[in-house]
């Protein structure tokens, strides 16, 4: 592996114009594809194998033309203070709004609240339901404009009007923190390298990689039904890992220069050593993201594969474009230790009383941990365990309009409906009674409705509405609790119980669907898939790390450390987003259940990112160990060369993820916070603290592997032993001068 990447790095360095041209061409192609691609279609998700999906499919079959999957909107009207919505003036304004919408070519139906009597008991609030013939992602701009204009006209008439539903998708707003995150990353890179040019390379290549990845996703969004969240997550991960991977290679390049190697040789060796770590770190991220397919939820599979593709592009760019850019930079990138004058580049190095160079902070920290490994291990594990405690009260759900910012019309419509009709009105349950095999379908539907009325937490049950064939009916149930509450979830389970008062009283098949039931089934499906997914991802990565480190205990330690960091991060997410601790600091306006996909998504992404630091830091230690150093010396050596880079990489990744906390979309905000805190725990507590403590206690046993397994494992040579052998054998540098060294000037 190291030898192949070494040659690849040297090739990219020598043929830098060709390599740069290829990547620019790919970026241009992705940009043109994104600009000319049709807008994304319906990105609604399906959940195969669930009762809610089965009922939804049955409705499509038995109620043809009903547009069961079409977009919907609820226009909520509220009369001015001291007036009622039934007053003549308000009634005229509402009817004018309905008539304006009814003329739309994509509109399937518009309800009249005065006919359906959908107004509150106090007569202050009413709503009209609008259903469309096409899905929410397929609505024409003219239809959405007409909906907004109709609401605005009713406001001009003196009513308070807001629109909920999925017809007007709330546009996520990015915060200024996204730009701040990139600025922080740039500052950290400058301080790490002491050079604006060296700092700019990781940023430039990461942006190119994200541009290609997100451009490709946008170009394929319509064909693959990818939502906007997919590109946001791909950009988040691609930017973070792209900067980190480039940072690893540029840092190693400068270290090789400091040892007196020519620039081309340094680029080759940096790609062969740090690049090997990048390949395996990236491979763990790709495995974790692509492994989301085991959940068997198409939307999640698409998100995982799209993000994995962006990470793969980041790896390829780090291995080829970075060496090419180093070739263009030439002498303008100095060896390790060299800094620009304005950053103190002319200052003499610090020395101790004996005149020896002072050890850097990484060295001092490693020696501190090695002196007190047991105490450090206990404090670290107990601290992470305390932060993980809230996991015991985890509640899962999916965000709805109630989690939108109060500045959006969707959230205001949600609040108005709760005020006028109760919190459960925002999450009605649709009961589908399949009476095809029943002796008396109408009697069966009546029995079902009567059984539901006997259940707790039920406000109202509508009469059964049959299809033309008379063999299938729908019943709408309004719960007393809000859609995301555990009480509503209990009600769904009560209706579905085979021996309960509903199903036990009829010979027809009773199914529960609707958005609320779909969300409950989605959460349950993700919860059931968590353990198999964890076993798959950790198992594959464990095997991969055995090959990388040629050890049993080091990969085991890495996996256990990951579990600690991901549980602690999930505990922090629960404390903020479910309990409300410090929620005001990051703009969480509404606390509630944790997004259903958060645990499984964090397991996948955090595991992949955690292995970045594990591979990069521990391969430095193994490199020193296989070259003859004692286990404790190898740990110190790994920290001497790797701690600064890993710390900088972690701070950069935290900054990038934190930038997405400013998003108005609750899912993006939660993921940004969760990944940022997870990286902080994993990099600084697990990898930088617990790892050296465990290695100190294990000693030589850390690098033990059974002889039979050692013979069976492929020689991936992440530590670059093949390059040392090549050097010891006296293999000539094909571009070196008579003295065996070559120094490129300029480009």
């Amino acid at each position: 592996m190291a030898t192949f990447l070494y040659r690849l790095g040297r090739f990219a360095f020598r043929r830098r114009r060709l390599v740069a041209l290829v990547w620019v061409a790919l970026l241009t192609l992705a940009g043109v594809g994104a600009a000319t691609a049709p807008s994304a279609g319906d990105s609604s998700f399906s959940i195969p194998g669930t009762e809610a999906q089965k009922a939804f499919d049955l409705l499509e079959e038995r109620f043809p033309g009903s547009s069961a999957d079409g977009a919907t909107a609820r226009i909520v009207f509220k009369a001015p203070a001291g007036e009622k919505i039934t007053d003549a003036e308000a009634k005229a304004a509402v009817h004018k709004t309905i008539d304006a919408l009814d003329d739309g070519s994509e509109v399937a139906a518009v309800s009249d609240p005065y006919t359906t009597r959908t107004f509150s008991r106090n007569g202050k609030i009413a709503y009209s339901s609008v259903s469309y013939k096409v899905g929410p992602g397929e609505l024409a701009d003219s239809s959405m404009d007409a909906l907004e204009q109709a609401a605005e006209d009713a406001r001009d008439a003196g009513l308070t009007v807001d629109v909920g539903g999925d017809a007007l998708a709330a546009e996520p707003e990015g915060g200024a923190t996204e730009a701040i995150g990139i600025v922080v990353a740039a500052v950290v890179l400058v301080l790490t390298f002491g050079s604006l040019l060296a700092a700019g390379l990781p940023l430039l290549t990461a942006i190119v990689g994200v541009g290609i990845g997100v451009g490709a996703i946008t170009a394929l969004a319509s064909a693959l039904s990818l939502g906007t969240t997919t590109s946001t997550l791909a950009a988040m991960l691609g930017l973070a890992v792209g900067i980190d991977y480039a940072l690893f290679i540029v840092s190693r390049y400068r270290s090789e220069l400091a040892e007196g190697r020519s620039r081309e040789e340094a680029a080759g060796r940096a790609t062969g050593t740090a690049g090997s770590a990048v390949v395996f770190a990236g491979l763990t991220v790709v495995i974790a993201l692509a492994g989301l397919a085991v959940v068997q939820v198409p939307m999640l599979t698409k998100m995982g594969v799209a993000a994995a593709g962006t990470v793969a592009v980041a790896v390829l760019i780090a291995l080829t474009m970075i060496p090419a850019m180093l070739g263009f930079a030439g002498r303008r990138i100095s060896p390790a230790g060299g800094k620009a004058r304005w950053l103190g580049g002319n200052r003499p190095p610090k020395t101790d009383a004996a005149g020896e160079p002072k050890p850097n902070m990484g060295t001092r920290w490693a020696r501190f941990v090695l002196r007190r490994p047991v105490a450090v291990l206990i404090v670290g594990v107990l601290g992470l365990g305390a932060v993980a405690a809230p996991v015991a009260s985890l509640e899962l759900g999916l965000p709805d309009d109630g989690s939108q910012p109060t500045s959006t019309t969707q959230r205001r419509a949600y609040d108005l409906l709760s005020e006028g009709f109760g919190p459960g009105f925002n999450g009605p349950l649709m009961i589908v009674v399949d009476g095809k095999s029943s002796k008396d379908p109408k009697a069966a539907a009546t029995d079902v409705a009567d059984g539901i009325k006997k259940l707790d937490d039920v406000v109202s049950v509508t009469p059964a509405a049959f299809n033309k064939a008379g063999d299938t009916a729908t019943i709408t149930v309004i719960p007393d609790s809000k859609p995301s509450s555990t009480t509503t979830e209990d009600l769904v389970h009560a209706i579905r119980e085979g021996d309960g008062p509903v199903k036990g009283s009829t010979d027809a098949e009773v199914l529960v669907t609707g958005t609320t039931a779909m969300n409950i089934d989605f959460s349950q499906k993700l919860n059931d898939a968590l353990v198999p997914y964890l076993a798959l991802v950790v198992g594959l990565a464990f095997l991969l790390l055995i090959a990388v480190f040629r050890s049993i205990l080091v990969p085991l330690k890495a996996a256990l450390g990951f579990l600690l960091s991901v549980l602690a991060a999930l505990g922090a997410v629960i404390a903020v987003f479910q309990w409300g601790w410090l929620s005001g600091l990051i703009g969480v306006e509404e606390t509630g259940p944790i997004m259903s996909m958060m645990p499984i998504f964090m397991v996948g992404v955090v595991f992949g990112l955690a292995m970045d630091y594990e591979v990069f830091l521990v391969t430095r230690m193994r490199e020193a160990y296989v070259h003859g150093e004692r286990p404790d010396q190898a740990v110190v050596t790994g920290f001497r060369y790797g701690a600064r880079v890993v710390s900088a990489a972690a701070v950069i990744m935290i900054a990038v993820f934190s930038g997405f906390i400013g998003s108005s979309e609750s899912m993006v905000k939660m993921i940004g916070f969760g990944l940022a805190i997870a990286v902080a725990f994993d990099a600084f507590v697990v990898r930088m603290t617990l790892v050296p403590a465990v290695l100190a206690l294990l000693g030589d046993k850390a690098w033990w592997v059974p002889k039979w397994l050692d013979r069976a494992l492929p020689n991936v040579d992440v530590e670059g032993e093949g390059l040392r052998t090549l050097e010891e054998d006296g293999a000539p540098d094909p571009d070196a001068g008579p003295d065996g060294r070559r120094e490129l000037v300029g480009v």
Side-chain angles (χ1 to χ4, degrees), residues 132-501:
Y132 292 86
K133 301 173 184 176
V134 296
E138 300 169 339
L139 271 179
D141 291 340
S142 58
S143 295
M144 291 187 284
D145 292 341
L147 182 59
E148 292 176 329
Q149 186 59 49
E152 189 61 37
D153 291 343
R155 293 188 190 103
D156 293 340
L159 302 178
T160 298
V161 184
D162 284 293
V163 183
D166 54 17
L168 286 182
E171 291 294 331
E173 300 173 3
T177 51
E178 292 180 22
I180 294 173
I182 297 177
V183 171
V184 171
V187 171
V188 172
L189 287 169
V190 171
L191 295 177
T192 301
F193 291 133
S195 164
L196 288 174
L197 181 60
L201 288 185
L203 283 174
L204 173 64
T205 55
I207 290 172
V208 170
V210 168
I212 293 173
V214 173
I217 290 171
T218 305
L220 297 172
S222 177
L224 301 180
S225 298
L226 303 177
T228 56
T229 304
T230 302
S231 58
T232 302
L233 295 178
M236 184 192 304
L237 292 174
L239 189 61
V241 301
I243 294 175
D244 276 11
Y245 295 163
L247 169 64
F248 293 159
I249 293 178
V250 174
S251 177
R252 186 60 183 257
Y253 170 77
R254 298 177 72 235
S255 296
E256 296 292 338
L257 287 180
E259 294 182 8
R261 305 190 192 281
S262 70
R263 294 190 178 275
E264 182 177 330
E265 179 71 7
R269 287 181 174 272
T271 309
T273 52
S276 296
V278 165
V279 168
F280 284 99
L283 196 54
T284 57
V285 180
V286 170
I287 288 173
L289 290 171
L292 291 171
V294 303
V295 183
Q296 296 183 347
V297 174
M299 180 192 71
L300 201 57
T301 300
K302 294 172 186 177
M303 288 174 58
V305 172
T310 306
V311 171
V313 170
V315 171
L316 293 174
I317 281 185
L319 298 177
T320 56
M321 191 173 178
I322 281 293
M325 293 297 102
L326 292 173
F328 283 117
R331 287 180 177 272
R332 290 186 289 274
I333 292 184
S334 60
K339 291 185 178 181
R341 183 176 301 176
W342 59 279
L343 283 171
N346 292 332
R347 296 175 188 171
K350 296 180 180 180
T351 58
D352 56 20
E356 296 292 329
K358 281 190 175 181
N360 60 21
M361 185 175 293
T363 301
R364 295 197 299 271
W365 174 251
R367 289 173 178 170
F368 168 80
V369 175
L370 292 176
R371 287 195 300 269
R372 304 171 179 83
V374 176
V376 168
L377 189 61
I378 292 174
V379 171
V381 171
L382 290 180
L384 290 177
V387 179
V391 173
S393 62
L394 172 65
E395 296 177 9
L396 296 178
L398 282 180
D400 53 19
D401 285 346
S403 61
Q404 295 284 351
T406 53
S407 59
T408 63
T409 186
Q410 290 86 352
R411 172 61 186 275
R412 293 194 298 268
Y414 182 98
D415 292 340
L416 282 175
L417 287 172
S418 296
E419 176 188 341
F421 303 93
F425 200 80
N426 284 292
L429 305 177
M430 179 174 286
I431 313 302
V432 180
V433 182
D434 182 5
K436 202 164 190 177
S437 59
S438 174
K439 297 177 181 178
D440 188 348
K442 292 188 177 180
T446 301
D447 290 342
V448 169
D450 292 341
I452 293 174
K453 291 177 182 177
K454 299 175 183 177
L455 298 175
D456 296 332
D457 198 49
V458 173
V459 172
S460 64
V461 179
T462 64
F466 280 86
N467 62 346
K468 290 182 179 180
D471 58 6
T472 307
T474 60
I475 301 170
T476 301
V477 177
I478 305 299
D480 188 42
S481 305
K482 63 181 182 178
S484 59
S485 69
T486 55
T487 308
T488 300
E489 183 176 349
D490 292 339
L491 174 61
V492 171
H493 291 317
I495 296 174
R496 288 175 170 173
E497 289 296 331
D499 55 351

Side-chain angles (χ1 to χ4, degrees), residues 562-595:
F562 151 73
L563 290 176
L564 273 176
S565 57
V566 77
L567 287 174
L570 191 56
V573 169
I574 294 169
V576 173
F577 289 86
Q578 184 176 310
W579 293 359
W581 291 6
L582 305 177
S583 57
L585 293 178
I586 60 174
V588 179
E589 297 185 9
E590 186 76 19
T591 59
I594 301 303
M595 183 181 60

Side-chain angles (χ1 to χ4, degrees), residues 638-700:
F639 269 77
R640 180 185 303 124
Y641 293 109
R644 180 182 177 87
V645 178
V646 169
S647 298
V651 171
I652 288 169
M653 198 172 278
I654 291 168
V656 172
F657 288 148
S658 297
F660 290 86
I661 296 176
S663 173
S664 65
E665 189 165 339
S666 59
M667 185 169 82
V668 175
K669 181 189 292 288
M670 188 181 296
I671 289 176
F673 173 82
L675 294 184
I677 201 73
V679 169
F681 288 150
D682 194 85
F684 295 110
V685 181
V686 175
R687 309 301 154 191
M688 303 283 284
T689 305
L690 300 186
V691 164
V694 172
L695 291 178
L697 294 174
L698 292 176
D700 286 303

